Amino acid sequence: AGMGRTVVELFYDVISPYSWLAFEALCRYRHIWNIDLRFRPAFLGGIMQQTGNKPPAMLPKRGEYLLKDMKRMAKYYQVPLRMSADAFQHIMRTNSLTAMRFITAIDMTNPQYLEPLSREFWMRFWSQHEDISQPENILAVARQAGLSAELSQKALEMITSATVKDRLKETTAEALKYGAFGMPAVVAHYDGEPHLFFGSDRLELLGNFIGE
């Protein structure tokens, strides 16, 4: 980190649409604010399970609101996120574990691709409503993000390894340690303490808190 830069960690999972909004907004702000932004791919399923949290759409009224909220947020943040009418079934049917392990493998071997790769996963799932759980789709996402076939293949082989599985578990456990109960979990390290901000709509509070 540069002199006096505030380290800001973003714990995210590509299955989470609010994580995409926070990701894009923080990517814009890191050029304006004095922050050292760190992407921390974690597993939302693990966080939900450990904290006893339930997907917001389990409550029908909340689900109804969420569809409208997403539409407004996508427009406000200018992110091509499109909620389909069956978005929740889409989420419920998809397990992001393989995708997040793949992203973790790339983070461990070629971190320069972490940002474009994560973005392409969101694009495919939330903009094109395509599957992100099957190996061939994961490879298509990687190709789209500019990774060579060789690199993608290597990362795909790594997802079954203990090193990658453990790294994803550790990152998820770290998010939990900071008090995360969902995604995105943004942790600002300020004045020697970690401070958790939940959701994509707390960025003005985050900025104010770190003196931006």
Side-chain angles (χ1 to χ4, degrees), residues 135-154:
E136 62 274 19
N137 296 333
I138 288 173
L139 290 174
V141 170
R143 189 167 57 243
Q144 205 57 43
L147 278 81
S148 70
E150 191 186 1
L151 208 59
S152 311
Q153 201 51 52
K154 189 180 152 221

Side-chain angles (χ1 to χ4, degrees), residues 55-155:
M58 298 283 273
L59 188 67
K61 278 289 171 209
R62 197 172 171 194
E64 258 171 61
Y65 174 77
L66 214 135
L67 286 171
K68 292 178 191 146
D69 187 46
M70 267 299 151
K71 210 171 171 174
R72 290 190 291 227
M73 295 280 270
K75 193 178 169 189
Y76 177 77
Y77 283 111
Q78 297 178 332
V79 172
L81 194 163
R82 286 192 291 274
M83 290 296 266
S84 57
D86 67 341
F88 304 126
Q89 288 86 330
H90 192 42
I91 295 182
M92 294 311 210
R93 283 194 306 263
T94 305
N95 187 333
S96 63
L97 187 58
T98 310
M100 293 317 295
R101 280 180 181 160
F102 184 83
I103 290 169
T104 300
I106 290 297
D107 186 24
M108 293 171 81
T109 55
N110 297 83
Q112 71 273 27
Y113 288 113
L114 183 58
E115 184 187 326
L117 179 67
S118 301
R119 182 175 286 117
E120 285 302 334
F121 268 106
W122 275 305
M123 287 293 281
R124 186 177 178 96
F125 193 74
W126 286 108
S127 214
Q128 294 144 7
H129 304 142
E130 302 265 352
D131 180 80
I132 54 163
S133 58
Q134 298 309 309
E136 62 274 19
N137 296 333
I138 288 173
L139 290 174
V141 170
R143 189 167 57 243
Q144 205 57 43
L147 278 81
S148 70
E150 191 186 1
L151 208 59
S152 311
Q153 201 51 52
K154 189 180 152 221

